Amino acid sequence: ILKEYSDVLLDDCYILSMRARIPRMAGEDERAVLQTINQRAMALVAQLAAVKQKQEVQELEKIRIICETAIDDMAKLPDKVR
């Protein structure tokens, strides 16, 4: 079920809603459910950070290739930019 609500768990309001809910927790069962949800949210944030880091490395590599091509031979630059 949590997979279907990934967008909610990554929303900025998630933290605020958890902070509002914690003081009103009814018992250990609810605490366990909220802990499971929070663990999923933290896993999603870690996955998102890893994807963003990989994308940043790819973008920097592309920029490096474009710069090297521009230095070596400007005529080849349009092929590298694509």
Side-chain angles (χ1 to χ4, degrees):
I1 294 175
L2 288 177
K3 289 181 182 180
E4 300 298 322
Y5 292 96
S6 296
D7 56 333
V8 174
L9 297 177
L10 291 171
D11 192 275
D12 291 339
C13 294
Y14 170 76
I15 295 172
L16 297 174
S17 63
M18 285 295 281
R19 285 184 182 165
R21 184 66 187 138
I22 288 173
R24 299 181 290 140
M25 288 179 23
E28 288 302 315
D29 291 339
E30 187 176 0
R31 181 181 299 267
V33 169
L34 290 178
Q35 186 175 15
T36 301
I37 293 169
N38 196 45
Q39 288 172 345
R40 176 66 179 156
M42 290 187 317
L44 286 171
V45 168
Q47 289 174 0
L48 184 60
V51 168
K52 285 187 172 188
Q53 182 182 16
K54 184 177 179 181
Q55 182 182 16
E56 182 178 346
V57 168
Q58 290 172 342
E59 289 173 359
L60 289 172
E61 178 64 16
K62 181 74 172 184
I63 291 169
R64 184 190 65 75
I65 291 169
I66 290 170
C67 290
E68 285 179 356
T69 303
I71 290 170
D72 294 339
D73 186 359
M74 285 294 287
K76 295 180 182 177
L77 191 59
D79 293 333
K80 295 295 181 180
V81 174
R82 292 184 208 151

